[in-house]
Amino acid sequence: MTNQFVTLPSKIRKNLNLSASKIYVIKGEVRVLKNVKVTARNGVRILLVNGVFKSSRLKRSALIFDQGSRLSAKKMHLMAANELLKPVKLADNGGIWFLGNYANASKDGLHLKTNRKNPLSHFSAQLITTNYLGRADSYISPKSGNLIGIGDDIDGFSVLGVGPTEWSIKSIKCNHSADDGIDFANSHVQIMNLEILNPIEDCINASSSRIEIHRSLKLDASKTKNIDRDLFDLETIDGASYIELHPGCSVKLKGVFGDQLVLSSPEMPRPNTRTDNEREYFFSGKIKRAALIYSINED
């Protein structure tokens, strides 16, 4: 049967194959445990059901790949859904998480410590696309129309303590995330293509991380009434943060560049990076020489 809904268990303890002929549902927290491999066939769809799930430490639906787990995917698509399992244009979930064994890291109540007794994680995919993942600090209830306050917000796509030998996800597209489009904490990864469209807050948040972009980087955080919403937010809690753009990379940026950052590039125009700057930055082109965006000691 095509389009059959399959609800994933809260803990995936055995190797699991995901079929493109089924739609997988996450209600609450789903964790892929260490030494477990998830294989996703081309075109797999996963729905994260919006709303409160008290059994989840994030209190929302989330897909978490634990330290020492593995993913092997081609093209995989994740999206928010309502209780009727219909995709919706509302982000009120915990997003997708990848936890490595490269460095200690923590965010949103999840704490990761390196453990050499555990295997390295390994995450491989041709493309992961996300739509309306994450959780804002408040939202308008679709039932009552009232503004609901939540507290902390959660990013759509989170990478914690992942090293270069653990990461082989080539392309990522994050659309309409509730907080940051993608967040890297204490990680070092290489990505061929990264595209982030219209997050509620920043496009890329990197804390003491190194991200290498090889072929294309497209970030669109066009100006809205929201302030302190940047293309890049680089934090330096445990060390410097770097975003490296390799020679030949196609770059398209639209939005406020970010506070207290340094752009080293012979081709890209110099951005305004003063604190609380709200001037929009534009650049579109293929760079011939490498470019570096970094922060050494400014958060």
Side-chain angles (χ1 to χ4, degrees):
M1 179 183 296
T2 59
N3 294 341
Q4 177 184 352
F5 291 101
V6 177
T7 300
L8 294 175
S10 61
K11 292 184 179 180
I12 299 177
R13 303 176 184 275
K14 297 181 179 180
N15 292 349
L16 179 66
N17 292 317
L18 304 182
S19 169
S21 65
K22 300 177 181 179
I23 298 176
Y24 296 90
V25 178
I26 294 178
K27 294 182 177 181
E29 184 175 290
V30 171
R31 299 190 78 119
V32 183
L33 303 185
K34 70 176 181 180
N35 294 317
V36 174
K37 180 179 181 180
V38 171
T39 301
R41 303 301 179 188
N42 193 39
V44 160
R45 290 166 289 174
I46 300 176
L47 303 179
L48 279 73
V49 177
N50 282 338
V52 177
F53 290 86
K54 294 182 179 179
S55 60
S56 168
R57 71 181 62 193
L58 299 174
K59 307 304 180 187
R60 294 297 187 277
S61 296
L63 176 58
I64 301 173
F65 286 86
D66 273 349
Q67 183 184 83
S69 64
R70 290 174 289 165
L71 170 67
S72 177
K74 291 188 177 180
K75 294 180 180 179
M76 188 169 75
H77 309 283
L78 297 94
M79 61 204 78
N82 62 18
E83 295 175 349
L84 301 177
L85 306 186
K86 299 292 185 182
V88 292
K89 296 180 178 179
L90 171 66
D92 183 24
N93 54 74
I96 184 170
W97 297 67
F98 294 95
L99 279 56
N101 200 8
Y102 171 73
N104 298 340
S106 63
K107 67 185 289 280
D108 297 328
L110 269 67
H111 303 281
L112 174 69
K113 290 187 177 181
T114 56
N115 185 346
R116 300 312 174 195
K117 294 181 180 180
N118 287 340
L120 293 176
S121 303
H122 187 71
F123 308 123
S124 174
Q126 290 182 4
L127 170 66
I128 296 179
T129 300
T130 68
N131 287 287
Y132 295 94
L133 294 197
R135 185 186 74 191
D137 53 13
S138 63
Y139 71 96
I140 297 176
S141 170
K143 294 182 179 179
S144 66
N146 296 327
L147 185 66
I148 307 298
I150 297 174
D152 293 335
D153 40 18
I154 294 176
D155 305 308
F157 197 119
S158 299
V159 181
L160 275 68
V162 175
T165 61
E166 298 180 298
W167 183 270
S168 186
I169 296 177
K170 294 181 179 179
S171 299
I172 299 172
K173 292 183 179 180
C174 300
N175 302 316
H176 307 286
S177 299
D179 187 22
D180 300 329
I182 190 167
D183 182 282
F184 300 93
N186 299 59
S187 296
H188 179 186
V189 301
Q190 299 185 47
I191 303 173
M192 295 296 107
N193 307 287
L194 178 58
E195 180 178 328
I196 301 175
L197 172 64
N198 196 29
I200 288 181
E201 295 195 23
D202 306 318
C203 285
I204 298 177
N205 183 286
S207 179
S208 304
S209 294
R210 192 178 203 104
I211 300 99
E212 301 180 45
I213 311 294
H214 286 254
R215 294 178 184 168
S216 67
L217 175 67
K218 182 179 180 180
L219 306 180
D220 189 341
S222 301
K223 283 286 293 178
T224 66
K225 63 181 181 181
N226 293 338
I227 61 173
D228 193 25
R229 176 175 178 262
D230 301 331
L231 296 172
F232 306 99
D233 183 4
L234 304 186
E235 301 176 9
T236 59
I237 298 171
D238 296 314
S241 286
Y242 305 89
I243 297 176
E244 301 178 30
L245 307 180
H246 283 234
C249 184
S250 294
V251 181
K252 189 172 184 179
L253 305 177
K254 185 179 181 181
V256 177
F257 198 85
D259 294 347
Q260 302 298 323
L261 305 180
V262 179
L263 169 63
S264 177
S265 170
E267 300 159 81
M268 297 170 64
R270 183 178 178 180
N272 186 335
T273 60
R274 293 195 303 269
T275 300
D276 298 329
N277 167 63
E278 290 295 326
R279 184 183 302 172
E280 203 162 38
Y281 178 87
F282 302 93
F283 177 78
S284 181
K286 179 180 286 189
I287 58 175
K288 296 180 180 179
R289 288 182 280 181
L292 182 64
I293 303 159
Y294 65 95
S295 180
I296 296 176
N297 53 22
E298 294 284 350
D299 284 336

